[in-house]
Amino acid sequence: MVLCHECDLPHAFEAVPRGRKAKCARCSAHLYGAMTDELDRPLALAVAGMILFLVANMFIFMTFEMEGREQANSLVSGSIEFWRAGYWELALLVFLSSVFLPFCSLALMLYLLVPLRLGITPVWAARVLRWVVSLRPWAMMEVYMLGALVAIVKLTDFADITLEPGFYAFVALILVLSATNAALHPEALWQRVSAGRATGQEAVDAQTVVGCHACGHVLPGNLEAHGQNCPRCDAAMHHRKPESLTRTWAVLIAAAIFYVPANIYPIMTVISFGQGTPDTILSGVIHLIEANQWPIAILVFFASVFVPILKIGILGFLLISVQIGSNWRPRERTAAYRVTEFIGRWSMIDIFMISILVALVKLDAVATIEAGPGAVAFAAVVILTMVSAMSFDPRLIWDQVEDSHG
Ligand SMILES: [Zn+2]
Ligand SMILES: [Zn+2]
C-alpha cells in the first residue's frame, strides 16, 4: 500500500514501466516512479559529479578585468567576502547552499551506492538515504548558476569577464547532478536498504494506517502501537506534521515582516571612482531594464519580487482556508501548495549574484561592490518562506473534505 504524501489517500501499489510515474488519483501528486533499482547509472553519475565538484572548487571561476586591473574569484570567494564584511549570515548561507550541502549530497550518495553495488548494505543506509532525499531542496547549485548569469550580464557593460575552467566544470556539474537525481529512485532503493529492518510493503488491510512522511513506509493501526519512529528510515512518524498551522503561521509572519526591510534597504552598493550608489532589489531591476537586458530583468523581478509575494499570499490563503474549514477546490489548493514548494529556492538568485559581485568587483576606489543590509533581510525572507512551506501539511486540506463527505 502507498499513501499519498499530499492528501493521505491510500493506493494499492502497482509497478509502472520505466519513464512513467504513478500519480495520486485524487490530488495528482507524484507518488513514485519506475521501481528500477539499478545502481550502475546513479553510481556512475555520482562519481562524475564528485570529480566535477572538486574541479569546480579547485579552479578559478571567473576573471574580472577593468582599467588594466584584474580580479579572479572561485566558488567560495563570495562567502569569504561576506564574512570579511561582517555579513556572517550571508557567508554561511551561500557557503552551505552552493558548496557544503551539494558536497554532502554527493558524498552521501557515494557512501550509499558504492557498497550497495558491491552487495554490501552500509551502516545507517536507510538513514543516509533519508538525508539524501531531504538535502535536495537545500543544495542550490542550479540557482547559483542563474545568479552567476545575472552577475555576468551586470558586469559585461563596463568590464571584461573571462569564464575560467572552474565555471565550465560547474556547468557540467549541474547537468550531471540533475541526471543523478533523475537516475536515483529513492522509492526503489528503500526496499534495498531496509532489508532486515522492516518487511517492505506489507499487505495492509486495517482501517487506520499511518504513512512515514520521509520514506512513505505504511504501517497499520495508530501511532501508539508503533512508537514514534519509522521502523524503516528512523524518521519521527506523525499522523500529521505536528503543530503545522501554528508553525507555518509563525514562520510566515516572520517572512512577511522581513519582506519590508528587504525592499527598503539597499541589497548592495556600487562604488565607482569614489561615488557610491546604493541598489535596492527594485532599483536593480530598473537598472537592468535601462540597460535593455529585458530577459534578465524579468527573471530577477520574477525571482526576487514576485515569487516571495506569491508564496506568502498562497501560504496565507491555504492557512486561512484550512482554519475556517473550507472544502473549496481541494485539488487546486494542493496544486497551489506544490507550486510554493517548487519555486521557493529560485529566489536565491539575487543573493548568489551579490556573492559573485562582491568577490569580483573589489578594485578599491576604481570600482567596488559591497553587500547591503537589505540582502540579509531578503535572504531571511527566502529561507523563512521555504521553511514555512515545508512545515505546512497539505493533508490538512483533505481532512476537511473527508470530514464533510464522510
Ligand atoms: Zn493525493
Ligand atoms: Zn520512514
PDB file of all heavy atoms in Angstrom, residues 115-149:
ATOM      1  N   PRO A 115      28.968   0.745  -1.693  1.00  0.00           N
ATOM      2  CA  PRO A 115      28.808  -0.560  -1.046  1.00  0.00           C
ATOM      3  C   PRO A 115      27.631  -1.364  -1.608  1.00  0.00           C
ATOM      4  O   PRO A 115      27.759  -2.575  -1.804  1.00  0.00           O
ATOM      5  CB  PRO A 115      28.557  -0.210   0.427  1.00  0.00           C
ATOM      6  CG  PRO A 115      28.944   1.198   0.581  1.00  0.00           C
ATOM      7  CD  PRO A 115      28.823   1.845  -0.744  1.00  0.00           C
ATOM      8  N   LEU A 116      26.515  -0.699  -1.909  1.00  0.00           N
ATOM      9  CA  LEU A 116      25.345  -1.420  -2.432  1.00  0.00           C
ATOM     10  C   LEU A 116      25.703  -2.115  -3.739  1.00  0.00           C
ATOM     11  O   LEU A 116      25.286  -3.236  -3.999  1.00  0.00           O
ATOM     12  CB  LEU A 116      24.169  -0.466  -2.652  1.00  0.00           C
ATOM     13  CG  LEU A 116      23.365  -0.048  -1.421  1.00  0.00           C
ATOM     14  CD1 LEU A 116      22.270   0.935  -1.808  1.00  0.00           C
ATOM     15  CD2 LEU A 116      22.756  -1.250  -0.702  1.00  0.00           C
ATOM     16  N   ARG A 117      26.486  -1.431  -4.562  1.00  0.00           N
ATOM     17  CA  ARG A 117      26.901  -2.001  -5.838  1.00  0.00           C
ATOM     18  C   ARG A 117      27.749  -3.249  -5.614  1.00  0.00           C
ATOM     19  O   ARG A 117      27.741  -4.183  -6.401  1.00  0.00           O
ATOM     20  CB  ARG A 117      27.686  -0.949  -6.640  1.00  0.00           C
ATOM     21  CG  ARG A 117      28.160  -1.373  -7.987  1.00  0.00           C
ATOM     22  CD  ARG A 117      26.977  -1.580  -8.924  1.00  0.00           C
ATOM     23  NE  ARG A 117      27.395  -2.103 -10.216  1.00  0.00           N
ATOM     24  CZ  ARG A 117      27.723  -3.361 -10.449  1.00  0.00           C
ATOM     25  NH1 ARG A 117      27.706  -4.244  -9.470  1.00  0.00           N
ATOM     26  NH2 ARG A 117      28.086  -3.749 -11.664  1.00  0.00           N
ATOM     27  N   LEU A 118      28.501  -3.257  -4.490  1.00  0.00           N
ATOM     28  CA  LEU A 118      29.362  -4.399  -4.167  1.00  0.00           C
ATOM     29  C   LEU A 118      28.598  -5.461  -3.374  1.00  0.00           C
ATOM     30  O   LEU A 118      29.172  -6.428  -2.900  1.00  0.00           O
ATOM     31  CB  LEU A 118      30.577  -3.932  -3.359  1.00  0.00           C
ATOM     32  CG  LEU A 118      31.483  -2.920  -4.069  1.00  0.00           C
ATOM     33  CD1 LEU A 118      32.533  -2.375  -3.119  1.00  0.00           C
ATOM     34  CD2 LEU A 118      32.135  -3.562  -5.289  1.00  0.00           C
ATOM     35  N   GLY A 119      27.302  -5.213  -3.173  1.00  0.00           N
ATOM     36  CA  GLY A 119      26.487  -6.203  -2.480  1.00  0.00           C
ATOM     37  C   GLY A 119      26.499  -6.080  -0.973  1.00  0.00           C
ATOM     38  O   GLY A 119      26.101  -7.001  -0.266  1.00  0.00           O
ATOM     39  N   ILE A 120      26.986  -4.971  -0.463  1.00  0.00           N
ATOM     40  CA  ILE A 120      27.014  -4.766   0.994  1.00  0.00           C
ATOM     41  C   ILE A 120      26.034  -3.643   1.333  1.00  0.00           C
ATOM     42  O   ILE A 120      25.969  -2.644   0.621  1.00  0.00           O
ATOM     43  CB  ILE A 120      28.424  -4.336   1.470  1.00  0.00           C
ATOM     44  CG1 ILE A 120      29.472  -5.300   0.931  1.00  0.00           C
ATOM     45  CG2 ILE A 120      28.493  -4.223   2.987  1.00  0.00           C
ATOM     46  CD1 ILE A 120      30.877  -4.737   0.930  1.00  0.00           C
ATOM     47  N   THR A 121      25.284  -3.806   2.427  1.00  0.00           N
ATOM     48  CA  THR A 121      24.435  -2.696   2.866  1.00  0.00           C
ATOM     49  C   THR A 121      25.207  -1.893   3.902  1.00  0.00           C
ATOM     50  O   THR A 121      25.562  -2.423   4.940  1.00  0.00           O
ATOM     51  CB  THR A 121      23.122  -3.219   3.482  1.00  0.00           C
ATOM     52  OG1 THR A 121      22.512  -4.095   2.533  1.00  0.00           O
ATOM     53  CG2 THR A 121      22.181  -2.083   3.804  1.00  0.00           C
ATOM     54  N   PRO A 122      25.518  -0.615   3.612  1.00  0.00           N
ATOM     55  CA  PRO A 122      26.332   0.154   4.561  1.00  0.00           C
ATOM     56  C   PRO A 122      25.579   0.442   5.850  1.00  0.00           C
ATOM     57  O   PRO A 122      24.349   0.399   5.891  1.00  0.00           O
ATOM     58  CB  PRO A 122      26.627   1.448   3.798  1.00  0.00           C
ATOM     59  CG  PRO A 122      25.555   1.549   2.780  1.00  0.00           C
ATOM     60  CD  PRO A 122      25.130   0.169   2.440  1.00  0.00           C
ATOM     61  N   VAL A 123      26.336   0.753   6.894  1.00  0.00           N
ATOM     62  CA  VAL A 123      25.744   1.110   8.185  1.00  0.00           C
ATOM     63  C   VAL A 123      24.881   2.356   8.001  1.00  0.00           C
ATOM     64  O   VAL A 123      25.261   3.278   7.280  1.00  0.00           O
ATOM     65  CB  VAL A 123      26.859   1.413   9.215  1.00  0.00           C
ATOM     66  CG1 VAL A 123      26.273   1.603  10.602  1.00  0.00           C
ATOM     67  CG2 VAL A 123      27.894   0.302   9.210  1.00  0.00           C
ATOM     68  N   TRP A 124      23.724   2.387   8.632  1.00  0.00           N
ATOM     69  CA  TRP A 124      22.825   3.548   8.584  1.00  0.00           C
ATOM     70  C   TRP A 124      22.307   3.824   7.182  1.00  0.00           C
ATOM     71  O   TRP A 124      21.992   4.961   6.857  1.00  0.00           O
ATOM     72  CB  TRP A 124      23.543   4.814   9.072  1.00  0.00           C
ATOM     73  CG  TRP A 124      23.624   4.918  10.555  1.00  0.00           C
ATOM     74  CD1 TRP A 124      23.444   3.918  11.459  1.00  0.00           C
ATOM     75  CD2 TRP A 124      23.907   6.090  11.321  1.00  0.00           C
ATOM     76  NE1 TRP A 124      23.604   4.399  12.716  1.00  0.00           N
ATOM     77  CE2 TRP A 124      23.891   5.727  12.668  1.00  0.00           C
ATOM     78  CE3 TRP A 124      24.181   7.413  10.977  1.00  0.00           C
ATOM     79  CZ2 TRP A 124      24.135   6.624  13.693  1.00  0.00           C
ATOM     80  CZ3 TRP A 124      24.426   8.315  11.989  1.00  0.00           C
ATOM     81  CH2 TRP A 124      24.402   7.927  13.340  1.00  0.00           C
ATOM     82  N   ALA A 125      22.225   2.777   6.341  1.00  0.00           N
ATOM     83  CA  ALA A 125      21.846   3.000   4.940  1.00  0.00           C
ATOM     84  C   ALA A 125      20.526   3.751   4.814  1.00  0.00           C
ATOM     85  O   ALA A 125      20.424   4.732   4.068  1.00  0.00           O
ATOM     86  CB  ALA A 125      21.768   1.661   4.226  1.00  0.00           C
ATOM     87  N   ALA A 126      19.508   3.331   5.561  1.00  0.00           N
ATOM     88  CA  ALA A 126      18.187   3.944   5.413  1.00  0.00           C
ATOM     89  C   ALA A 126      18.216   5.398   5.862  1.00  0.00           C
ATOM     90  O   ALA A 126      17.623   6.277   5.236  1.00  0.00           O
ATOM     91  CB  ALA A 126      17.159   3.161   6.217  1.00  0.00           C
ATOM     92  N   ARG A 127      18.939   5.642   6.966  1.00  0.00           N
ATOM     93  CA  ARG A 127      19.013   6.993   7.479  1.00  0.00           C
ATOM     94  C   ARG A 127      19.719   7.908   6.468  1.00  0.00           C
ATOM     95  O   ARG A 127      19.314   9.036   6.226  1.00  0.00           O
ATOM     96  CB  ARG A 127      19.782   6.986   8.799  1.00  0.00           C
ATOM     97  CG  ARG A 127      19.301   8.041   9.756  1.00  0.00           C
ATOM     98  CD  ARG A 127      20.016   7.936  11.056  1.00  0.00           C
ATOM     99  NE  ARG A 127      19.656   6.722  11.807  1.00  0.00           N
ATOM    100  CZ  ARG A 127      19.985   6.547  13.087  1.00  0.00           C
ATOM    101  NH1 ARG A 127      20.665   7.468  13.714  1.00  0.00           N
ATOM    102  NH2 ARG A 127      19.642   5.444  13.710  1.00  0.00           N
ATOM    103  N   VAL A 128      20.804   7.380   5.866  1.00  0.00           N
ATOM    104  CA  VAL A 128      21.561   8.161   4.889  1.00  0.00           C
ATOM    105  C   VAL A 128      20.703   8.462   3.661  1.00  0.00           C
ATOM    106  O   VAL A 128      20.703   9.578   3.143  1.00  0.00           O
ATOM    107  CB  VAL A 128      22.861   7.427   4.490  1.00  0.00           C
ATOM    108  CG1 VAL A 128      23.525   8.098   3.300  1.00  0.00           C
ATOM    109  CG2 VAL A 128      23.826   7.384   5.671  1.00  0.00           C
ATOM    110  N   LEU A 129      19.920   7.477   3.228  1.00  0.00           N
ATOM    111  CA  LEU A 129      19.038   7.712   2.077  1.00  0.00           C
ATOM    112  C   LEU A 129      18.014   8.807   2.404  1.00  0.00           C
ATOM    113  O   LEU A 129      17.706   9.665   1.571  1.00  0.00           O
ATOM    114  CB  LEU A 129      18.322   6.407   1.682  1.00  0.00           C
ATOM    115  CG  LEU A 129      17.375   6.508   0.489  1.00  0.00           C
ATOM    116  CD1 LEU A 129      18.079   7.060  -0.747  1.00  0.00           C
ATOM    117  CD2 LEU A 129      16.783   5.138   0.162  1.00  0.00           C
ATOM    118  N   ARG A 130      17.523   8.794   3.654  1.00  0.00           N
ATOM    119  CA  ARG A 130      16.585   9.845   4.069  1.00  0.00           C
ATOM    120  C   ARG A 130      17.259  11.214   4.002  1.00  0.00           C
ATOM    121  O   ARG A 130      16.666  12.191   3.545  1.00  0.00           O
ATOM    122  CB  ARG A 130      16.105   9.552   5.498  1.00  0.00           C
ATOM    123  CG  ARG A 130      15.302  10.666   6.132  1.00  0.00           C
ATOM    124  CD  ARG A 130      14.398  10.138   7.214  1.00  0.00           C
ATOM    125  NE  ARG A 130      15.119   9.569   8.344  1.00  0.00           N
ATOM    126  CZ  ARG A 130      15.583  10.288   9.385  1.00  0.00           C
ATOM    127  NH1 ARG A 130      15.408  11.579   9.421  1.00  0.00           N
ATOM    128  NH2 ARG A 130      16.207   9.685  10.376  1.00  0.00           N
ATOM    129  N   TRP A 131      18.528  11.293   4.423  1.00  0.00           N
ATOM    130  CA  TRP A 131      19.248  12.580   4.366  1.00  0.00           C
ATOM    131  C   TRP A 131      19.435  13.015   2.920  1.00  0.00           C
ATOM    132  O   TRP A 131      19.279  14.187   2.597  1.00  0.00           O
ATOM    133  CB  TRP A 131      20.611  12.451   5.044  1.00  0.00           C
ATOM    134  CG  TRP A 131      20.525  12.271   6.530  1.00  0.00           C
ATOM    135  CD1 TRP A 131      19.465  12.621   7.328  1.00  0.00           C
ATOM    136  CD2 TRP A 131      21.497  11.682   7.386  1.00  0.00           C
ATOM    137  NE1 TRP A 131      19.741  12.294   8.629  1.00  0.00           N
ATOM    138  CE2 TRP A 131      20.983  11.715   8.699  1.00  0.00           C
ATOM    139  CE3 TRP A 131      22.760  11.137   7.186  1.00  0.00           C
ATOM    140  CZ2 TRP A 131      21.686  11.229   9.798  1.00  0.00           C
ATOM    141  CZ3 TRP A 131      23.469  10.660   8.273  1.00  0.00           C
ATOM    142  CH2 TRP A 131      22.929  10.703   9.566  1.00  0.00           C
ATOM    143  N   VAL A 132      19.786  12.050   2.041  1.00  0.00           N
ATOM    144  CA  VAL A 132      19.996  12.394   0.627  1.00  0.00           C
ATOM    145  C   VAL A 132      18.739  13.051   0.068  1.00  0.00           C
ATOM    146  O   VAL A 132      18.793  14.078  -0.602  1.00  0.00           O
ATOM    147  CB  VAL A 132      20.352  11.133  -0.206  1.00  0.00           C
ATOM    148  CG1 VAL A 132      20.270  11.427  -1.694  1.00  0.00           C
ATOM    149  CG2 VAL A 132      21.743  10.635   0.153  1.00  0.00           C
ATOM    150  N   VAL A 133      17.576  12.459   0.388  1.00  0.00           N
ATOM    151  CA  VAL A 133      16.314  12.988  -0.134  1.00  0.00           C
ATOM    152  C   VAL A 133      16.014  14.361   0.473  1.00  0.00           C
ATOM    153  O   VAL A 133      15.631  15.295  -0.226  1.00  0.00           O
ATOM    154  CB  VAL A 133      15.155  11.999   0.139  1.00  0.00           C
ATOM    155  CG1 VAL A 133      13.830  12.604  -0.270  1.00  0.00           C
ATOM    156  CG2 VAL A 133      15.407  10.686  -0.591  1.00  0.00           C
ATOM    157  N   SER A 134      16.238  14.503   1.796  1.00  0.00           N
ATOM    158  CA  SER A 134      15.825  15.770   2.413  1.00  0.00           C
ATOM    159  C   SER A 134      16.827  16.899   2.151  1.00  0.00           C
ATOM    160  O   SER A 134      16.505  18.063   2.341  1.00  0.00           O
ATOM    161  CB  SER A 134      15.578  15.588   3.916  1.00  0.00           C
ATOM    162  OG  SER A 134      16.714  15.032   4.524  1.00  0.00           O
ATOM    163  N   LEU A 135      18.040  16.566   1.695  1.00  0.00           N
ATOM    164  CA  LEU A 135      19.015  17.612   1.350  1.00  0.00           C
ATOM    165  C   LEU A 135      18.694  18.288   0.023  1.00  0.00           C
ATOM    166  O   LEU A 135      19.139  19.397  -0.235  1.00  0.00           O
ATOM    167  CB  LEU A 135      20.418  17.008   1.249  1.00  0.00           C
ATOM    168  CG  LEU A 135      21.254  16.962   2.517  1.00  0.00           C
ATOM    169  CD1 LEU A 135      22.617  16.341   2.218  1.00  0.00           C
ATOM    170  CD2 LEU A 135      21.452  18.360   3.063  1.00  0.00           C
ATOM    171  N   ARG A 136      17.938  17.586  -0.826  1.00  0.00           N
ATOM    172  CA  ARG A 136      17.746  18.068  -2.203  1.00  0.00           C
ATOM    173  C   ARG A 136      17.332  19.524  -2.322  1.00  0.00           C
ATOM    174  O   ARG A 136      17.953  20.264  -3.077  1.00  0.00           O
ATOM    175  CB  ARG A 136      16.736  17.170  -2.936  1.00  0.00           C
ATOM    176  CG  ARG A 136      17.390  15.926  -3.486  1.00  0.00           C
ATOM    177  CD  ARG A 136      16.409  15.103  -4.279  1.00  0.00           C
ATOM    178  NE  ARG A 136      17.044  13.887  -4.752  1.00  0.00           N
ATOM    179  CZ  ARG A 136      16.399  12.903  -5.364  1.00  0.00           C
ATOM    180  NH1 ARG A 136      15.097  12.998  -5.559  1.00  0.00           N
ATOM    181  NH2 ARG A 136      17.045  11.841  -5.775  1.00  0.00           N
ATOM    182  N   PRO A 137      16.293  19.995  -1.599  1.00  0.00           N
ATOM    183  CA  PRO A 137      15.911  21.401  -1.799  1.00  0.00           C
ATOM    184  C   PRO A 137      16.962  22.401  -1.325  1.00  0.00           C
ATOM    185  O   PRO A 137      16.969  23.545  -1.769  1.00  0.00           O
ATOM    186  CB  PRO A 137      14.622  21.550  -0.992  1.00  0.00           C
ATOM    187  CG  PRO A 137      14.569  20.382  -0.090  1.00  0.00           C
ATOM    188  CD  PRO A 137      15.361  19.297  -0.718  1.00  0.00           C
ATOM    189  N   TRP A 138      17.881  21.992  -0.452  1.00  0.00           N
ATOM    190  CA  TRP A 138      18.833  22.952   0.132  1.00  0.00           C
ATOM    191  C   TRP A 138      20.137  23.054  -0.644  1.00  0.00           C
ATOM    192  O   TRP A 138      20.936  23.941  -0.389  1.00  0.00           O
ATOM    193  CB  TRP A 138      19.109  22.603   1.594  1.00  0.00           C
ATOM    194  CG  TRP A 138      17.861  22.658   2.413  1.00  0.00           C
ATOM    195  CD1 TRP A 138      17.140  21.588   2.878  1.00  0.00           C
ATOM    196  CD2 TRP A 138      17.156  23.820   2.845  1.00  0.00           C
ATOM    197  NE1 TRP A 138      16.047  22.026   3.575  1.00  0.00           N
ATOM    198  CE2 TRP A 138      16.028  23.390   3.572  1.00  0.00           C
ATOM    199  CE3 TRP A 138      17.366  25.195   2.684  1.00  0.00           C
ATOM    200  CZ2 TRP A 138      15.115  24.270   4.135  1.00  0.00           C
ATOM    201  CZ3 TRP A 138      16.464  26.068   3.245  1.00  0.00           C
ATOM    202  CH2 TRP A 138      15.361  25.615   3.963  1.00  0.00           C
ATOM    203  N   ALA A 139      20.400  22.126  -1.533  1.00  0.00           N
ATOM    204  CA  ALA A 139      21.593  22.221  -2.375  1.00  0.00           C
ATOM    205  C   ALA A 139      21.182  22.974  -3.641  1.00  0.00           C
ATOM    206  O   ALA A 139      20.414  22.467  -4.449  1.00  0.00           O
ATOM    207  CB  ALA A 139      22.116  20.836  -2.714  1.00  0.00           C
ATOM    208  N   MET A 140      21.673  24.225  -3.794  1.00  0.00           N
ATOM    209  CA  MET A 140      21.071  25.110  -4.813  1.00  0.00           C
ATOM    210  C   MET A 140      22.040  25.468  -5.932  1.00  0.00           C
ATOM    211  O   MET A 140      22.130  26.622  -6.329  1.00  0.00           O
ATOM    212  CB  MET A 140      20.595  26.395  -4.148  1.00  0.00           C
ATOM    213  CG  MET A 140      19.696  26.167  -2.969  1.00  0.00           C
ATOM    214  SD  MET A 140      18.993  27.722  -2.407  1.00  0.00           S
ATOM    215  CE  MET A 140      18.263  27.237  -0.870  1.00  0.00           C
ATOM    216  N   MET A 141      22.764  24.496  -6.450  1.00  0.00           N
ATOM    217  CA  MET A 141      23.766  24.824  -7.474  1.00  0.00           C
ATOM    218  C   MET A 141      23.155  25.420  -8.731  1.00  0.00           C
ATOM    219  O   MET A 141      23.711  26.331  -9.337  1.00  0.00           O
ATOM    220  CB  MET A 141      24.550  23.582  -7.826  1.00  0.00           C
ATOM    221  CG  MET A 141      25.401  23.120  -6.674  1.00  0.00           C
ATOM    222  SD  MET A 141      26.722  22.083  -7.247  1.00  0.00           S
ATOM    223  CE  MET A 141      28.133  22.917  -6.577  1.00  0.00           C
ATOM    224  N   GLU A 142      21.993  24.907  -9.148  1.00  0.00           N
ATOM    225  CA  GLU A 142      21.408  25.423 -10.396  1.00  0.00           C
ATOM    226  C   GLU A 142      20.903  26.849 -10.204  1.00  0.00           C
ATOM    227  O   GLU A 142      20.933  27.659 -11.137  1.00  0.00           O
ATOM    228  CB  GLU A 142      20.333  24.477 -10.936  1.00  0.00           C
ATOM    229  CG  GLU A 142      19.081  24.315 -10.115  1.00  0.00           C
ATOM    230  CD  GLU A 142      19.234  23.364  -8.943  1.00  0.00           C
ATOM    231  OE1 GLU A 142      20.341  23.230  -8.378  1.00  0.00           O
ATOM    232  OE2 GLU A 142      18.234  22.765  -8.535  1.00  0.00           O
ATOM    233  N   VAL A 143      20.494  27.188  -8.970  1.00  0.00           N
ATOM    234  CA  VAL A 143      20.087  28.568  -8.694  1.00  0.00           C
ATOM    235  C   VAL A 143      21.317  29.475  -8.718  1.00  0.00           C
ATOM    236  O   VAL A 143      21.282  30.597  -9.237  1.00  0.00           O
ATOM    237  CB  VAL A 143      19.369  28.649  -7.324  1.00  0.00           C
ATOM    238  CG1 VAL A 143      18.809  30.037  -7.111  1.00  0.00           C
ATOM    239  CG2 VAL A 143      18.269  27.612  -7.237  1.00  0.00           C
ATOM    240  N   TYR A 144      22.432  28.964  -8.179  1.00  0.00           N
ATOM    241  CA  TYR A 144      23.698  29.694  -8.192  1.00  0.00           C
ATOM    242  C   TYR A 144      24.108  30.027  -9.627  1.00  0.00           C
ATOM    243  O   TYR A 144      24.572  31.124  -9.921  1.00  0.00           O
ATOM    244  CB  TYR A 144      24.775  28.843  -7.516  1.00  0.00           C
ATOM    245  CG  TYR A 144      26.078  29.570  -7.280  1.00  0.00           C
ATOM    246  CD1 TYR A 144      26.333  30.183  -6.063  1.00  0.00           C
ATOM    247  CD2 TYR A 144      27.049  29.627  -8.266  1.00  0.00           C
ATOM    248  CE1 TYR A 144      27.521  30.850  -5.838  1.00  0.00           C
ATOM    249  CE2 TYR A 144      28.241  30.292  -8.053  1.00  0.00           C
ATOM    250  CZ  TYR A 144      28.474  30.902  -6.834  1.00  0.00           C
ATOM    251  OH  TYR A 144      29.653  31.559  -6.619  1.00  0.00           O
ATOM    252  N   MET A 145      23.883  29.045 -10.513  1.00  0.00           N
ATOM    253  CA  MET A 145      24.212  29.235 -11.927  1.00  0.00           C
ATOM    254  C   MET A 145      23.478  30.455 -12.497  1.00  0.00           C
ATOM    255  O   MET A 145      24.071  31.285 -13.187  1.00  0.00           O
ATOM    256  CB  MET A 145      23.786  27.975 -12.680  1.00  0.00           C
ATOM    257  CG  MET A 145      24.224  27.917 -14.100  1.00  0.00           C
ATOM    258  SD  MET A 145      25.982  27.610 -14.165  1.00  0.00           S
ATOM    259  CE  MET A 145      26.527  29.154 -14.833  1.00  0.00           C
ATOM    260  N   LEU A 146      22.185  30.572 -12.198  1.00  0.00           N
ATOM    261  CA  LEU A 146      21.419  31.719 -12.699  1.00  0.00           C
ATOM    262  C   LEU A 146      21.913  33.013 -12.066  1.00  0.00           C
ATOM    263  O   LEU A 146      21.985  34.045 -12.735  1.00  0.00           O
ATOM    264  CB  LEU A 146      19.927  31.528 -12.399  1.00  0.00           C
ATOM    265  CG  LEU A 146      19.150  30.671 -13.401  1.00  0.00           C
ATOM    266  CD1 LEU A 146      17.673  30.680 -13.063  1.00  0.00           C
ATOM    267  CD2 LEU A 146      19.362  31.180 -14.818  1.00  0.00           C
ATOM    268  N   GLY A 147      22.296  32.949 -10.779  1.00  0.00           N
ATOM    269  CA  GLY A 147      22.860  34.115 -10.117  1.00  0.00           C
ATOM    270  C   GLY A 147      24.129  34.559 -10.827  1.00  0.00           C
ATOM    271  O   GLY A 147      24.356  35.764 -11.041  1.00  0.00           O
ATOM    272  N   ALA A 148      24.953  33.584 -11.231  1.00  0.00           N
ATOM    273  CA  ALA A 148      26.195  33.887 -11.951  1.00  0.00           C
ATOM    274  C   ALA A 148      25.878  34.552 -13.289  1.00  0.00           C
ATOM    275  O   ALA A 148      26.532  35.517 -13.693  1.00  0.00           O
ATOM    276  CB  ALA A 148      27.005  32.616 -12.168  1.00  0.00           C
ATOM    277  N   LEU A 149      24.842  34.046 -13.939  1.00  0.00           N
ATOM    278  CA  LEU A 149      24.429  34.605 -15.234  1.00  0.00           C
ATOM    279  C   LEU A 149      24.036  36.077 -15.080  1.00  0.00           C
ATOM    280  O   LEU A 149      24.453  36.932 -15.873  1.00  0.00           O
ATOM    281  CB  LEU A 149      23.242  33.796 -15.752  1.00  0.00           C
ATOM    282  CG  LEU A 149      22.847  34.005 -17.196  1.00  0.00           C
ATOM    283  CD1 LEU A 149      23.909  33.433 -18.101  1.00  0.00           C
ATOM    284  CD2 LEU A 149      21.499  33.349 -17.477  1.00  0.00           C
TER     285      LEU A 149
END
